[in-house]
Amino acid sequence: MLDATTLPITSENTRLRPLSELDADAYAAGTKDEAVRRFGHLPESDYTPESVRRMIRDEVAEGLSSGTLAVLALADAETDRFVGSLVLFDVSSEVAEVGFWIHPDARGAGHARRGLELASRFARNSGLRTLTARTLLENKASQRCLTTAGFHEIERAVGTTPAGQREELFHYRRDLKPTAQWSLATERLRLRPHNADDAEWLHELYSRPDVARYLLDEPWTAEVTHDKLTERLAKTDIDGKTGALALVIEHDGVPIGDVALWLTNHEHRQGEIGWVLDPDHGGQGFASEAVRAVLALGFDHYRLHRITAEMDARNSASAAVARCVLTVRP
């Protein structure tokens, strides 16, 4: 079921939030648009501000409360102005279908693409494993948005739209695998999310002056280690609230470092990667092996388009890893 307590969610210029009665005028006006009427598959033939307010008070509120339906607003993140609507319906314990439409005055600003990313985060935060979507064959804009947001076409078939019409549709699917449950395995390493038992080795590693000097930071104290570990425990998903993923690098069951991947630009799906390896385990290719695995995760699962890395110019070991696994630019 859907968990409305995780709303609102914001990414760049777009916010996903519950519909408000203050949105009624803009919602009703948007449904008059020819493209919305054709492609939005709205269940009602006509909407007025008052009918939208009744809808929000009744079925929208009931659906959010029960977790079985979420008729939501897409809003401009700066002004909170209504720019479109997104709905999750046919909700089960693991799957929901998503549909969306954008107000004609807000098209071309990327709200649909970001809205789908936010919907995926909302569904994942609610414990769902899969989102599906359907769109008409002639709705090329919707198809581009779905593909960019990580949905994959699975079939082309005739089906019944939410408006009750029989149409030939493209069917899409996006898997929502919770990263916190993952344990990435390479030939020699295991990469896992942090846990509460990581404080001791983290303090031992990051309190070393020869490690801290390249991080432009002071060696960690026990108090700093506690705070840093708390931050890393929350970094379990690029598309989650933190927009980051922090993983421990283990060799033969022993932590030897960590690697992190985080979003730097939500809209353009760009990220940055960073890593720290225990110097006592350097020179064996462990860092390159771990970084390659996380890069593959970023590109193949999270559909990032670009991943960069920055480091202290004196850090020759990390520079060597970057030259090995990344395209180096001045």
Side-chain angles (χ1 to χ4, degrees):
M1 298 294 105
L2 299 172
D3 182 3
T5 64
T6 64
L7 296 170
I9 309 175
T10 302
S11 173
E12 291 293 317
N13 298 324
T14 307
R15 176 175 296 122
L16 183 67
R17 60 165 173 77
L19 268 174
S20 161
E21 291 192 34
L22 296 175
D23 300 318
D25 288 349
Y27 187 105
T31 63
K32 310 300 183 187
D33 178 72
E34 182 178 350
V36 173
R37 296 182 65 84
R38 172 62 179 137
F39 299 130
H41 305 303
L42 299 171
E44 301 295 331
S45 59
D46 184 60
Y47 290 86
T48 66
E50 183 52 41
S51 71
V52 174
R53 293 186 187 94
R54 286 197 301 269
M55 177 185 74
I56 293 170
R57 290 193 296 265
D58 298 336
E59 55 260 43
V60 172
E62 181 181 349
L64 281 177
S65 177
S66 66
T68 58
L69 174 69
V71 182
L72 304 171
L74 291 172
D76 180 275
E78 183 176 352
T79 65
D80 205 40
R81 176 178 62 89
F82 176 90
V83 297
S85 181
L86 185 145
V87 57
L88 280 80
F89 59 102
D90 285 349
V91 180
S92 71
S93 60
E94 295 191 347
V95 182
E97 183 169 346
V98 61
F100 61 95
W101 59 268
I102 302 298
H103 193 286
D105 294 341
R107 289 180 189 144
H111 291 299
R113 181 176 65 253
R114 289 191 293 270
L116 286 168
E117 291 290 347
L118 293 172
S120 298
R121 288 167 56 183
F122 174 45
R124 184 185 292 108
N125 292 342
S126 298
L128 274 61
R129 296 184 61 83
T130 304
L131 271 184
T132 64
R134 293 174 292 166
T135 186
L136 291 169
L137 275 59
E138 64 265 36
N139 193 351
K140 303 300 182 183
S142 176
Q143 293 160 30
R144 286 193 298 271
C145 288
L146 288 164
T147 301
T148 303
F151 286 76
H152 303 282
E153 181 188 335
I154 55 175
E155 67 174 341
R156 173 176 168 176
V158 174
T160 302
T161 71
Q165 300 171 330
R166 297 287 291 176
E167 300 267 13
E168 188 170 15
L169 303 164
F170 282 127
H171 293 240
Y172 287 83
R173 174 188 178 107
R174 177 173 177 175
D175 293 325
L176 309 171
K177 297 178 182 178
T179 307
Q181 298 178 5
W182 289 3
S183 174
L184 300 180
T186 67
E187 182 178 355
R188 299 177 296 169
L189 304 174
R190 174 175 175 256
L191 284 77
R192 61 163 176 83
H194 285 72
N195 60 52
D197 296 328
D198 288 324
E200 183 177 351
W201 73 264
L202 279 171
H203 180 256
E204 183 177 343
L205 175 61
Y206 281 90
S207 65
R208 292 179 56 154
D210 59 339
V211 171
R213 64 175 175 168
Y214 294 132
L215 303 178
L216 303 180
D217 202 355
E218 294 296 322
W220 287 8
T221 64
E223 183 179 359
V224 169
T225 300
H226 176 271
D227 293 340
K228 295 289 189 181
L229 177 56
T230 299
E231 293 175 5
R232 293 175 188 212
L233 289 171
K235 295 177 178 179
T236 59
D237 191 352
I238 290 295
D239 291 327
K241 292 183 178 180
T242 62
L245 177 65
L247 298 173
V248 176
I249 305 170
E250 287 188 348
H251 175 58
D252 290 337
V254 177
I256 62 171
D258 58 2
V259 57
L261 179 67
W262 61 96
L263 281 176
T264 57
N265 189 306
H266 292 258
E267 179 177 359
H268 298 293
R269 302 300 290 170
Q270 295 178 1
E272 186 171 339
I273 190 169
W275 60 90
V276 171
L277 190 74
D278 187 331
D280 295 340
H281 290 84
Q284 302 177 64
F286 290 139
S288 297
E289 192 170 323
V291 170
R292 283 194 184 95
V294 176
L295 287 173
L297 179 68
F299 288 124
D300 298 339
H301 175 73
Y302 286 111
R303 303 294 173 183
L304 299 184
H305 302 313
R306 185 185 186 202
I307 301 175
T308 61
E310 294 183 2
M311 64 207 64
D312 190 303
R314 301 168 298 169
N315 192 345
S316 57
S318 285
V321 172
R323 282 192 294 269
C324 182
V325 300
L326 296 165
T327 300
V328 179
R329 298 181 180 180

